[in-house]
PDB file of all heavy atoms in Angstrom:
ATOM      1  N   MET I 269     -44.437   0.889  51.671  1.00 52.00           N
ATOM      2  CA  MET I 269     -45.401   1.820  52.243  1.00 52.00           C
ATOM      3  C   MET I 269     -44.853   3.243  52.191  1.00 52.00           C
ATOM      4  O   MET I 269     -43.687   3.483  52.537  1.00 52.00           O
ATOM      5  CB  MET I 269     -45.700   1.437  53.691  1.00 52.00           C
ATOM      6  CG  MET I 269     -46.376   0.089  53.840  1.00 52.00           C
ATOM      7  SD  MET I 269     -48.004   0.072  53.070  1.00 52.00           S
ATOM      8  CE  MET I 269     -48.865   1.228  54.144  1.00 52.00           C
ATOM      9  N   PRO I 270     -45.643   4.220  51.746  1.00 56.00           N
ATOM     10  CA  PRO I 270     -45.178   5.606  51.758  1.00 56.00           C
ATOM     11  C   PRO I 270     -45.037   6.122  53.176  1.00 56.00           C
ATOM     12  O   PRO I 270     -45.719   5.678  54.101  1.00 56.00           O
ATOM     13  CB  PRO I 270     -46.287   6.347  51.004  1.00 56.00           C
ATOM     14  CG  PRO I 270     -47.502   5.494  51.193  1.00 56.00           C
ATOM     15  CD  PRO I 270     -46.997   4.079  51.225  1.00 56.00           C
ATOM     16  N   GLU I 271     -44.134   7.064  53.353  1.00 65.00           N
ATOM     17  CA  GLU I 271     -43.917   7.639  54.679  1.00 65.00           C
ATOM     18  C   GLU I 271     -45.088   8.525  55.093  1.00 65.00           C
ATOM     19  O   GLU I 271     -45.789   9.089  54.253  1.00 65.00           O
ATOM     20  CB  GLU I 271     -42.647   8.490  54.674  1.00 65.00           C
ATOM     21  CG  GLU I 271     -41.366   7.711  54.577  1.00 65.00           C
ATOM     22  CD  GLU I 271     -40.190   8.653  54.652  1.00 65.00           C
ATOM     23  OE1 GLU I 271     -39.941   9.355  53.679  1.00 65.00           O
ATOM     24  OE2 GLU I 271     -39.528   8.680  55.700  1.00 65.00           O
ATOM     25  N   ALA I 272     -45.273   8.627  56.383  1.00 78.00           N
ATOM     26  CA  ALA I 272     -46.295   9.534  56.902  1.00 78.00           C
ATOM     27  C   ALA I 272     -45.821  10.969  56.733  1.00 78.00           C
ATOM     28  O   ALA I 272     -44.670  11.302  57.023  1.00 78.00           O
ATOM     29  CB  ALA I 272     -46.567   9.225  58.365  1.00 78.00           C
ATOM     30  N   ALA I 273     -46.713  11.813  56.254  1.00 86.00           N
ATOM     31  CA  ALA I 273     -46.383  13.214  56.029  1.00 86.00           C
ATOM     32  C   ALA I 273     -47.045  14.083  57.089  1.00 86.00           C
ATOM     33  O   ALA I 273     -48.178  13.818  57.502  1.00 86.00           O
ATOM     34  CB  ALA I 273     -46.833  13.642  54.639  1.00 86.00           C
ATOM     35  N   LYS I 274     -46.334  15.098  57.528  1.00 91.00           N
ATOM     36  CA  LYS I 274     -46.882  16.063  58.469  1.00 91.00           C
ATOM     37  C   LYS I 274     -46.931  17.418  57.775  1.00 91.00           C
ATOM     38  O   LYS I 274     -45.902  17.960  57.383  1.00 91.00           O
ATOM     39  CB  LYS I 274     -46.016  16.141  59.732  1.00 91.00           C
ATOM     40  CG  LYS I 274     -46.000  14.853  60.544  1.00 91.00           C
ATOM     41  CD  LYS I 274     -45.146  14.996  61.797  1.00 91.00           C
ATOM     42  CE  LYS I 274     -45.127  13.701  62.603  1.00 91.00           C
ATOM     43  NZ  LYS I 274     -44.273  13.815  63.810  1.00 91.00           N
ATOM     44  N   ILE I 275     -48.143  17.932  57.588  1.00 93.00           N
ATOM     45  CA  ILE I 275     -48.346  19.188  56.865  1.00 93.00           C
ATOM     46  C   ILE I 275     -48.469  20.327  57.872  1.00 93.00           C
ATOM     47  O   ILE I 275     -49.220  20.233  58.849  1.00 93.00           O
ATOM     48  CB  ILE I 275     -49.597  19.114  55.979  1.00 93.00           C
ATOM     49  CG1 ILE I 275     -49.462  17.960  54.975  1.00 93.00           C
ATOM     50  CG2 ILE I 275     -49.815  20.434  55.244  1.00 93.00           C
ATOM     51  CD1 ILE I 275     -50.691  17.730  54.137  1.00 93.00           C
ATOM     52  N   HIS I 276     -47.726  21.386  57.633  1.00 93.00           N
ATOM     53  CA  HIS I 276     -47.732  22.548  58.513  1.00 93.00           C
ATOM     54  C   HIS I 276     -48.007  23.806  57.692  1.00 93.00           C
ATOM     55  O   HIS I 276     -47.727  23.854  56.495  1.00 93.00           O
ATOM     56  CB  HIS I 276     -46.388  22.709  59.227  1.00 93.00           C
ATOM     57  CG  HIS I 276     -45.935  21.499  59.972  1.00 93.00           C
ATOM     58  ND1 HIS I 276     -46.238  21.277  61.301  1.00 93.00           N
ATOM     59  CD2 HIS I 276     -45.200  20.423  59.575  1.00 93.00           C
ATOM     60  CE1 HIS I 276     -45.718  20.138  61.688  1.00 93.00           C
ATOM     61  NE2 HIS I 276     -45.082  19.603  60.665  1.00 93.00           N
ATOM     62  N   CYS I 277     -48.522  24.811  58.353  1.00 93.00           N
ATOM     63  CA  CYS I 277     -48.751  26.111  57.724  1.00 93.00           C
ATOM     64  C   CYS I 277     -48.386  27.191  58.735  1.00 93.00           C
ATOM     65  O   CYS I 277     -48.868  27.166  59.876  1.00 93.00           O
ATOM     66  CB  CYS I 277     -50.206  26.244  57.282  1.00 93.00           C
ATOM     67  SG  CYS I 277     -50.563  27.793  56.406  1.00 93.00           S
ATOM     68  N   VAL I 278     -47.522  28.098  58.346  1.00 90.00           N
ATOM     69  CA  VAL I 278     -47.116  29.178  59.251  1.00 90.00           C
ATOM     70  C   VAL I 278     -47.345  30.523  58.577  1.00 90.00           C
ATOM     71  O   VAL I 278     -47.300  30.651  57.355  1.00 90.00           O
ATOM     72  CB  VAL I 278     -45.628  29.047  59.662  1.00 90.00           C
ATOM     73  CG1 VAL I 278     -45.386  27.782  60.440  1.00 90.00           C
ATOM     74  CG2 VAL I 278     -44.719  29.117  58.450  1.00 90.00           C
ATOM     75  N   GLU I 279     -47.598  31.517  59.413  1.00 89.00           N
ATOM     76  CA  GLU I 279     -47.759  32.876  58.922  1.00 89.00           C
ATOM     77  C   GLU I 279     -46.399  33.557  58.823  1.00 89.00           C
ATOM     78  O   GLU I 279     -45.543  33.369  59.686  1.00 89.00           O
ATOM     79  CB  GLU I 279     -48.677  33.671  59.854  1.00 89.00           C
ATOM     80  CG  GLU I 279     -50.126  33.238  59.803  1.00 89.00           C
ATOM     81  CD  GLU I 279     -50.764  33.485  58.438  1.00 89.00           C
ATOM     82  OE1 GLU I 279     -50.391  34.485  57.790  1.00 89.00           O
ATOM     83  OE2 GLU I 279     -51.616  32.685  58.029  1.00 89.00           O
ATOM     84  N   THR I 280     -46.218  34.331  57.779  1.00 87.00           N
ATOM     85  CA  THR I 280     -44.993  35.085  57.573  1.00 87.00           C
ATOM     86  C   THR I 280     -45.374  36.534  57.276  1.00 87.00           C
ATOM     87  O   THR I 280     -46.553  36.845  57.087  1.00 87.00           O
ATOM     88  CB  THR I 280     -44.180  34.516  56.386  1.00 87.00           C
ATOM     89  OG1 THR I 280     -44.765  34.969  55.157  1.00 87.00           O
ATOM     90  CG2 THR I 280     -44.152  32.989  56.419  1.00 87.00           C
ATOM     91  N   PRO I 281     -44.408  37.449  57.236  1.00 85.00           N
ATOM     92  CA  PRO I 281     -44.743  38.843  56.887  1.00 85.00           C
ATOM     93  C   PRO I 281     -45.358  38.986  55.503  1.00 85.00           C
ATOM     94  O   PRO I 281     -45.930  40.045  55.189  1.00 85.00           O
ATOM     95  CB  PRO I 281     -43.383  39.545  56.969  1.00 85.00           C
ATOM     96  CG  PRO I 281     -42.581  38.714  57.912  1.00 85.00           C
ATOM     97  CD  PRO I 281     -43.009  37.306  57.661  1.00 85.00           C
ATOM     98  N   TYR I 282     -45.260  37.949  54.666  1.00 90.00           N
ATOM     99  CA  TYR I 282     -45.763  38.040  53.289  1.00 90.00           C
ATOM    100  C   TYR I 282     -46.892  37.051  53.033  1.00 90.00           C
ATOM    101  O   TYR I 282     -47.168  36.701  51.890  1.00 90.00           O
ATOM    102  CB  TYR I 282     -44.618  37.808  52.300  1.00 90.00           C
ATOM    103  CG  TYR I 282     -43.427  38.686  52.588  1.00 90.00           C
ATOM    104  CD1 TYR I 282     -42.269  38.159  53.179  1.00 90.00           C
ATOM    105  CD2 TYR I 282     -43.461  40.055  52.321  1.00 90.00           C
ATOM    106  CE1 TYR I 282     -41.183  38.969  53.476  1.00 90.00           C
ATOM    107  CE2 TYR I 282     -42.378  40.865  52.609  1.00 90.00           C
ATOM    108  CZ  TYR I 282     -41.256  40.320  53.189  1.00 90.00           C
ATOM    109  OH  TYR I 282     -40.190  41.141  53.478  1.00 90.00           O
ATOM    110  N   GLY I 283     -47.530  36.603  54.087  1.00 91.00           N
ATOM    111  CA  GLY I 283     -48.619  35.657  53.941  1.00 91.00           C
ATOM    112  C   GLY I 283     -48.237  34.287  54.483  1.00 91.00           C
ATOM    113  O   GLY I 283     -47.117  34.064  54.954  1.00 91.00           O
ATOM    114  N   SER I 284     -49.174  33.356  54.408  1.00 92.00           N
ATOM    115  CA  SER I 284     -48.933  32.017  54.938  1.00 92.00           C
ATOM    116  C   SER I 284     -48.203  31.156  53.921  1.00 92.00           C
ATOM    117  O   SER I 284     -48.304  31.363  52.710  1.00 92.00           O
ATOM    118  CB  SER I 284     -50.258  31.362  55.331  1.00 92.00           C
ATOM    119  OG  SER I 284     -51.099  31.225  54.202  1.00 92.00           O
ATOM    120  N   VAL I 285     -47.474  30.169  54.427  1.00 94.00           N
ATOM    121  CA  VAL I 285     -46.762  29.222  53.577  1.00 94.00           C
ATOM    122  C   VAL I 285     -46.982  27.829  54.132  1.00 94.00           C
ATOM    123  O   VAL I 285     -46.955  27.621  55.349  1.00 94.00           O
ATOM    124  CB  VAL I 285     -45.255  29.560  53.495  1.00 94.00           C
ATOM    125  CG1 VAL I 285     -44.599  29.532  54.865  1.00 94.00           C
ATOM    126  CG2 VAL I 285     -44.532  28.611  52.549  1.00 94.00           C
ATOM    127  N   THR I 286     -47.225  26.889  53.232  1.00 95.00           N
ATOM    128  CA  THR I 286     -47.479  25.504  53.609  1.00 95.00           C
ATOM    129  C   THR I 286     -46.269  24.652  53.265  1.00 95.00           C
ATOM    130  O   THR I 286     -45.656  24.825  52.205  1.00 95.00           O
ATOM    131  CB  THR I 286     -48.718  24.961  52.882  1.00 95.00           C
ATOM    132  OG1 THR I 286     -49.856  25.755  53.236  1.00 95.00           O
ATOM    133  CG2 THR I 286     -48.992  23.507  53.256  1.00 95.00           C
ATOM    134  N   PHE I 287     -45.910  23.741  54.156  1.00 96.00           N
ATOM    135  CA  PHE I 287     -44.788  22.844  53.893  1.00 96.00           C
ATOM    136  C   PHE I 287     -45.083  21.491  54.514  1.00 96.00           C
ATOM    137  O   PHE I 287     -45.836  21.376  55.484  1.00 96.00           O
ATOM    138  CB  PHE I 287     -43.467  23.416  54.421  1.00 96.00           C
ATOM    139  CG  PHE I 287     -43.517  23.844  55.850  1.00 96.00           C
ATOM    140  CD1 PHE I 287     -43.098  22.991  56.875  1.00 96.00           C
ATOM    141  CD2 PHE I 287     -43.970  25.100  56.204  1.00 96.00           C
ATOM    142  CE1 PHE I 287     -43.142  23.388  58.199  1.00 96.00           C
ATOM    143  CE2 PHE I 287     -44.024  25.509  57.528  1.00 96.00           C
ATOM    144  CZ  PHE I 287     -43.606  24.648  58.528  1.00 96.00           C
ATOM    145  N   THR I 288     -44.485  20.465  53.939  1.00 95.00           N
ATOM    146  CA  THR I 288     -44.724  19.089  54.361  1.00 95.00           C
ATOM    147  C   THR I 288     -43.419  18.478  54.828  1.00 95.00           C
ATOM    148  O   THR I 288     -42.391  18.596  54.156  1.00 95.00           O
ATOM    149  CB  THR I 288     -45.309  18.262  53.206  1.00 95.00           C
ATOM    150  OG1 THR I 288     -46.478  18.931  52.707  1.00 95.00           O
ATOM    151  CG2 THR I 288     -45.689  16.867  53.676  1.00 95.00           C
ATOM    152  N   VAL I 289     -43.458  17.820  55.994  1.00 95.00           N
ATOM    153  CA  VAL I 289     -42.257  17.254  56.606  1.00 95.00           C
ATOM    154  C   VAL I 289     -42.344  15.732  56.590  1.00 95.00           C
ATOM    155  O   VAL I 289     -43.365  15.162  56.974  1.00 95.00           O
ATOM    156  CB  VAL I 289     -42.075  17.757  58.050  1.00 95.00           C
ATOM    157  CG1 VAL I 289     -40.823  17.159  58.680  1.00 95.00           C
ATOM    158  CG2 VAL I 289     -42.016  19.285  58.080  1.00 95.00           C
ATOM    159  N   TYR I 290     -41.278  15.104  56.145  1.00 93.00           N
ATOM    160  CA  TYR I 290     -41.147  13.650  56.178  1.00 93.00           C
ATOM    161  C   TYR I 290     -39.936  13.281  57.022  1.00 93.00           C
ATOM    162  O   TYR I 290     -38.876  13.895  56.904  1.00 93.00           O
ATOM    163  CB  TYR I 290     -40.942  13.081  54.770  1.00 93.00           C
ATOM    164  CG  TYR I 290     -42.144  13.147  53.870  1.00 93.00           C
ATOM    165  CD1 TYR I 290     -42.384  14.262  53.078  1.00 93.00           C
ATOM    166  CD2 TYR I 290     -43.032  12.070  53.776  1.00 93.00           C
ATOM    167  CE1 TYR I 290     -43.479  14.323  52.230  1.00 93.00           C
ATOM    168  CE2 TYR I 290     -44.129  12.123  52.937  1.00 93.00           C
ATOM    169  CZ  TYR I 290     -44.348  13.255  52.168  1.00 93.00           C
ATOM    170  OH  TYR I 290     -45.437  13.296  51.330  1.00 93.00           O
ATOM    171  N   GLY I 291     -40.087  12.261  57.856  1.00 90.00           N
ATOM    172  CA  GLY I 291     -38.956  11.763  58.627  1.00 90.00           C
ATOM    173  C   GLY I 291     -38.801  12.482  59.951  1.00 90.00           C
ATOM    174  O   GLY I 291     -39.544  13.400  60.300  1.00 90.00           O
ATOM    175  N   THR I 292     -37.781  12.061  60.680  1.00 86.00           N
ATOM    176  CA  THR I 292     -37.477  12.586  62.006  1.00 86.00           C
ATOM    177  C   THR I 292     -36.119  13.272  61.974  1.00 86.00           C
ATOM    178  O   THR I 292     -35.182  12.744  61.367  1.00 86.00           O
ATOM    179  CB  THR I 292     -37.440  11.443  63.042  1.00 86.00           C
ATOM    180  OG1 THR I 292     -38.688  10.748  63.008  1.00 86.00           O
ATOM    181  CG2 THR I 292     -37.197  11.985  64.440  1.00 86.00           C
ATOM    182  N   PRO I 293     -35.973  14.446  62.595  1.00 84.00           N
ATOM    183  CA  PRO I 293     -34.674  15.124  62.604  1.00 84.00           C
ATOM    184  C   PRO I 293     -33.579  14.226  63.158  1.00 84.00           C
ATOM    185  O   PRO I 293     -33.771  13.526  64.146  1.00 84.00           O
ATOM    186  CB  PRO I 293     -34.925  16.332  63.511  1.00 84.00           C
ATOM    187  CG  PRO I 293     -36.390  16.572  63.425  1.00 84.00           C
ATOM    188  CD  PRO I 293     -37.019  15.218  63.282  1.00 84.00           C
ATOM    189  N   LYS I 294     -32.430  14.225  62.507  1.00 80.00           N
ATOM    190  CA  LYS I 294     -31.273  13.446  62.932  1.00 80.00           C
ATOM    191  C   LYS I 294     -30.272  14.369  63.609  1.00 80.00           C
ATOM    192  O   LYS I 294     -29.983  15.453  63.111  1.00 80.00           O
ATOM    193  CB  LYS I 294     -30.624  12.745  61.728  1.00 80.00           C
ATOM    194  CG  LYS I 294     -31.580  11.913  60.876  1.00 80.00           C
ATOM    195  CD  LYS I 294     -32.177  10.766  61.640  1.00 80.00           C
ATOM    196  CE  LYS I 294     -32.932   9.810  60.731  1.00 80.00           C
ATOM    197  NZ  LYS I 294     -34.124  10.414  60.104  1.00 80.00           N
ATOM    198  N   PRO I 295     -29.712  13.950  64.756  1.00 75.00           N
ATOM    199  CA  PRO I 295     -28.751  14.801  65.464  1.00 75.00           C
ATOM    200  C   PRO I 295     -27.570  15.180  64.579  1.00 75.00           C
ATOM    201  O   PRO I 295     -27.004  14.357  63.875  1.00 75.00           O
ATOM    202  CB  PRO I 295     -28.305  13.918  66.642  1.00 75.00           C
ATOM    203  CG  PRO I 295     -29.422  12.953  66.840  1.00 75.00           C
ATOM    204  CD  PRO I 295     -29.970  12.683  65.468  1.00 75.00           C
ATOM    205  N   LYS I 296     -27.233  16.468  64.627  1.00 73.00           N
ATOM    206  CA  LYS I 296     -26.071  17.019  63.925  1.00 73.00           C
ATOM    207  C   LYS I 296     -26.140  16.826  62.413  1.00 73.00           C
ATOM    208  O   LYS I 296     -25.108  16.791  61.746  1.00 73.00           O
ATOM    209  CB  LYS I 296     -24.770  16.415  64.477  1.00 73.00           C
ATOM    210  CG  LYS I 296     -24.524  16.725  65.950  1.00 73.00           C
ATOM    211  CD  LYS I 296     -23.195  16.201  66.429  1.00 73.00           C
ATOM    212  CE  LYS I 296     -22.973  16.550  67.893  1.00 73.00           C
ATOM    213  NZ  LYS I 296     -21.672  16.060  68.398  1.00 73.00           N
TER     214      LYS I 296
END
Side-chain angles (χ1 to χ4, degrees):
M269 296 296 293
E271 289 183 286
K274 295 181 180 179
I275 301 175
H276 306 269
C277 183
V278 297
E279 290 296 326
T280 78
Y282 309 105
S284 62
V285 60
T286 300
F287 52 95
T288 306
V289 180
Y290 290 89
T292 304
K294 307 297 190 295
K296 298 184 179 180

